[in-house]
Amino acid sequence: LELHWERWGIPIYITPVLLAAVGITWVLEQICRWKINRWRRTAKMLFGVLTAVVGINLLLGAVDMVTFKLAKQGQIESMSFCEENDITKENSIYEGYSPLCVSGPASLNCSMDTEGNLAFPVDKENAEYIVLSSNMYGRYYAEPERYAGQIAVYEKIKEQYPLIYENQTVQEMRSVSGIINSFYSANSLWQKTEGKNCGYSIMIYQITQS
């Protein structure tokens, strides 16, 4: 682990578990002091169900997170395709979190001209490929009204150029509901057993001259 996580992360992860153990014991002791047996039995049952839901949610979520970190990432898997097909930074237009720019965010730097055609950067006018990452285009699609112009660029790429590679990865979903979150974690684990990669989905389009 990095020093930041060793210093702050580990205590933050462990402390809630310890406090939860103390809290569960205290609640059970309070319930056992109730004088009416019927209420006591009902309270124990409800508390048991609640504790089970939380416990299952935490267990499945923890296993899901660990397997996510251990599984092969979509960016790494797509690197092999790029190497095999000579797709490089020099002959491609690419955005951040893709196999050609793994370390961080980067804009695609494409736009639409007044006639509705794609306009490439000056130094990429002879590019042969466009490499997209879901961690970049997903941000724009999440706010379609705010980023209508950028979404139009992505839609034009999909419409105009053939898709030669797509690496669909496990879609991580989360919910504030413990029950729903458990189903999400279980579904994510199932997808990983089916052989799906984790991380970001990668799409590569080949630029064809019209």
Side-chain angles (χ1 to χ4, degrees), residues 100-141:
L100 301 181
C101 183
V102 178
S103 58
S107 299
L108 197 60
N109 291 328
C110 293
S111 59
M112 304 287 288
D113 62 20
T114 56
E115 298 179 355
N117 299 315
L118 280 171
F120 295 154
V122 176
D123 61 336
K124 294 289 185 178
E125 290 182 347
N126 296 319
E128 301 175 37
Y129 304 95
I130 299 176
V131 185
L132 306 180
S133 169
S134 62
N135 198 40
M136 286 301 299
Y137 65 73
R139 303 179 184 190
Y140 299 114
Y141 278 94

Side-chain angles (χ1 to χ4, degrees), residues 5-192:
W5 288 110
E6 290 183 350
R7 191 176 305 151
W8 303 105
I10 293 177
I12 290 174
Y13 282 127
I14 294 176
T15 301
V17 176
L18 296 175
L19 293 177
V22 174
I24 290 173
T25 304
W26 183 85
V27 171
L28 287 175
E29 289 177 352
Q30 299 305 310
I31 292 176
C32 291
R33 292 177 182 176
W34 291 5
K35 295 181 179 180
I36 302 177
N37 291 333
R38 184 179 60 185
W39 290 4
R40 190 164 56 201
R41 286 195 299 269
T42 302
K44 282 184 178 180
M45 181 181 66
L46 292 175
F47 185 69
V49 171
L50 178 61
T51 303
V53 169
V54 173
I56 292 173
N57 178 37
L58 290 174
L59 178 61
L60 288 175
V63 174
D64 184 32
M65 289 179 64
V66 171
T67 55
F68 179 87
K69 297 298 183 183
L70 295 176
K72 195 167 187 177
Q73 302 296 299
Q75 294 166 284
I76 306 303
E77 180 73 15
S78 58
M79 280 183 182
S80 300
F81 181 85
C82 290
E83 292 173 357
E84 292 169 1
N85 294 273
D86 194 30
I87 300 174
T88 64
K89 292 183 177 181
E90 288 72 26
N91 65 6
S92 303
I93 300 173
Y94 56 91
E95 58 186 359
Y97 302 107
S98 69
L100 301 181
C101 183
V102 178
S103 58
S107 299
L108 197 60
N109 291 328
C110 293
S111 59
M112 304 287 288
D113 62 20
T114 56
E115 298 179 355
N117 299 315
L118 280 171
F120 295 154
V122 176
D123 61 336
K124 294 289 185 178
E125 290 182 347
N126 296 319
E128 301 175 37
Y129 304 95
I130 299 176
V131 185
L132 306 180
S133 169
S134 62
N135 198 40
M136 286 301 299
Y137 65 73
R139 303 179 184 190
Y140 299 114
Y141 278 94
E143 299 183 75
E145 295 181 358
R146 182 179 179 184
Y147 297 109
Q150 193 62 36
I151 290 176
V153 170
Y154 287 116
E155 292 298 320
K156 188 66 175 180
I157 292 172
K158 295 177 183 178
E159 172 190 328
Q160 187 167 338
Y161 302 122
L163 178 67
I164 61 172
Y165 177 86
E166 183 174 17
N167 183 9
Q168 288 287 351
T169 57
V170 175
Q171 298 300 310
E172 298 290 332
M173 302 176 66
R174 292 289 178 262
S175 170
V176 294
S177 170
I179 296 176
I180 297 176
N181 207 45
S182 296
F183 281 109
Y184 284 158
S185 297
N187 180 58
S188 176
L189 288 170
W190 174 257
Q191 291 184 66
K192 291 166 191 169

